[in-house]
Amino acid sequence: MTTRTADFPHLAPTRLWGELGIAAVLCVVTFSGGLLELVRRWSTQDEYNHGFLIPIIALWLLWQRRTALLEAAGQPHWAGVLVVMLSLAMLVVGELTAVFL
């Protein structure tokens, strides 16, 4: 997938990929406890062993719809910060209660 500067005029392609990479690393680090629990369950419980296919299928579906996703990208909105804050609050509650959802 090539990212065109015209799709995101405020970001150069290298900066866009850099920011996406940083965001991905932060997500993995932040949710590492839950992700490790997920992999443990996929590995040990027979009813969840199909779980390893889910990320692969999700990436394939995103790749298939990449053009539509790029066309649908709009301008950033401040409400995104609220969504991030809500997800961080849910993470804190999950960590404090030891519930990995």
Side-chain angles (χ1 to χ4, degrees):
M1 175 170 87
T2 58
T3 305
R4 299 179 307 258
T5 307
D7 295 330
F8 300 94
H10 58 286
L11 293 177
T14 53
R15 183 174 171 201
L16 174 66
W17 286 112
E19 289 181 3
L20 287 174
I22 290 170
V25 168
L26 283 174
C27 285
V28 168
V29 169
T30 302
F31 296 102
S32 62
L35 292 172
L36 290 173
E37 176 67 17
L38 196 62
V39 169
R40 186 192 67 77
R41 286 186 189 210
W42 289 351
S43 300
T44 59
Q45 295 178 340
D46 288 338
E47 61 270 13
Y48 295 123
N49 63 8
H50 67 281
F52 290 107
L53 294 175
I54 294 172
I56 296 167
I57 293 169
L59 288 172
W60 179 76
L61 290 171
L62 287 171
W63 180 256
Q64 292 295 314
R65 303 283 298 168
R66 67 188 179 276
T67 305
L69 289 171
L70 284 173
E71 290 173 358
Q75 295 298 318
H77 195 271
W78 64 269
V81 175
L82 295 176
V83 173
V84 171
M85 297 307 256
L86 178 63
S87 69
L88 289 174
M90 290 172 64
L91 172 69
V92 169
V93 170
E95 289 291 329
L96 293 175
T97 60
V99 175
F100 295 104
L101 296 175

